Amino acid sequence: MEKLRVLLVDDEIMIREGFKRLFDWAGHGCEVSGEAADGMEALAQIDLLRPDIVIMDINIPIINGLKVIELTRIKHPETAFVIVSGYDSFSYCREALRLQITDYILKPVKL
């Protein structure tokens, strides 16, 4: 069975490294196929890698995570998004739901 491709998007390298090291991707049928540190890089990686799942922060440079999701939905509507954010604002959650995300997880994340 082919593994699900995952893209990690966060402007903090330690967060991305933590996700790569602390979660058993292979054990859950996934592989980390790429990373991005800002919204523009995320959009480019999504077009290039066509990940099945994008795990991202909302507060990233250049283009925020919600706008990345909105733009991705146009070209790749099948992509699943999981937001991992320190923001528990209802307006962020409402917008994320409108964009049909898969999950919204608050930092700090306990794996």
Side-chain angles (χ1 to χ4, degrees):
M1 183 165 98
E2 191 172 319
K3 292 184 178 185
L4 295 173
R5 297 175 313 278
V6 177
L7 175 67
L8 300 176
V9 183
D10 198 295
D11 59 328
E12 296 182 48
I13 192 166
M14 296 303 290
I15 299 289
R16 295 192 316 265
E17 288 299 318
F19 275 124
K20 286 193 301 191
R21 290 191 177 122
L22 297 175
F23 188 73
D24 180 13
W25 296 103
H28 289 87
C30 299
E31 67 180 0
V32 176
S33 60
E35 299 178 43
D38 63 58
M40 288 295 289
E41 189 178 358
L43 289 171
Q45 291 287 7
I46 290 167
D47 282 342
L48 177 68
L49 301 173
R50 302 287 307 264
D52 301 294
I53 304 166
V54 177
I55 299 175
M56 73 163 38
D57 191 0
I58 288 176
N59 190 23
I60 54 176
I62 305 176
I63 300 174
N64 78 32
L66 293 174
K67 188 67 174 179
V68 169
I69 296 168
E70 182 180 348
L71 294 170
T72 300
R73 287 281 177 242
I74 296 166
K75 292 167 74 174
H76 310 289
E78 70 287 351
T79 304
F81 284 91
V82 175
I83 292 176
V84 180
S85 179
Y87 294 99
D88 64 352
S89 164
F90 180 70
S91 63
Y92 282 136
C93 293
R94 181 178 50 220
E95 180 65 10
L97 289 171
R98 185 186 71 75
L99 294 169
Q100 300 176 336
I101 65 159
T102 302
D103 205 348
Y104 193 110
I105 301 169
L106 289 176
K107 288 180 184 176
V109 176
K110 295 179 183 172
L111 299 175

